[in-house]
Amino acid sequence: YQVMCAEVKMTFPTAGFVSIYWAINNLKNKVYIDEFDFFLTPNRYTQREFRHKQYWGARHNPLAEKGIIQDYVERNLIEWYQK
C-alpha cells in the first residue's frame, strides 16, 4: 500500500482505485472498468451526493485518481467504459 501511495503520489486513495491499481499490477489480463466516476456524480442507486468532492484535500482526491486512470487508459493497461 505504501509503495502504491508513493508511486501515485496520494496519501489516501479510494478502495476502488486501490483495486484497479492492484489488478493492473497483479493480473495478466487487461482490466476493464465500467461506470467508475470517482464520486463526481450521485450514487446511481440512491442518488446520494458524495462529500468527497467537497473535501478533496482532507482524504480522497478523485481528480488525481481520474488523471491516473486516464493515463492507464492511454497506456492501454485498462479499458474504461463511460456513459
Side-chain angles (χ1 to χ4, degrees):
Y1 181 82
Q2 288 82 11
V3 171
M4 177 202 62
C5 288
E7 182 181 314
V8 298
K9 298 177 178 66
M10 279 192 281
T11 55
F12 196 73
T14 61
F17 181 85
V18 172
S19 299
I20 293 168
Y21 180 90
W22 183 90
I24 65 171
N25 286 286
N26 291 284
L27 302 176
K28 294 180 182 179
N29 298 328
K30 190 173 187 177
V31 175
Y32 295 85
I33 57 176
D34 185 27
E35 294 190 35
F36 196 79
D37 72 353
F38 308 95
F39 300 106
L40 298 176
T41 61
N43 178 289
R44 71 187 213 184
Y45 300 110
T46 65
Q47 294 303 303
R48 179 176 152 236
E49 290 279 342
F50 290 97
R51 292 178 9 165
H52 297 298
K53 63 183 175 183
Q54 298 168 0
Y55 301 104
W56 289 337
R59 294 188 64 83
H60 300 308
N61 188 335
L63 295 180
E65 290 185 8
K66 186 175 183 178
I68 295 167
I69 295 297
Q70 287 173 326
D71 177 61
Y72 292 160
V73 170
E74 290 170 9
R75 292 171 39 205
N76 203 33
L77 297 172
I78 64 172
E79 193 86 25
W80 180 16
Y81 298 103
Q82 307 171 65
K83 282 186 177 181

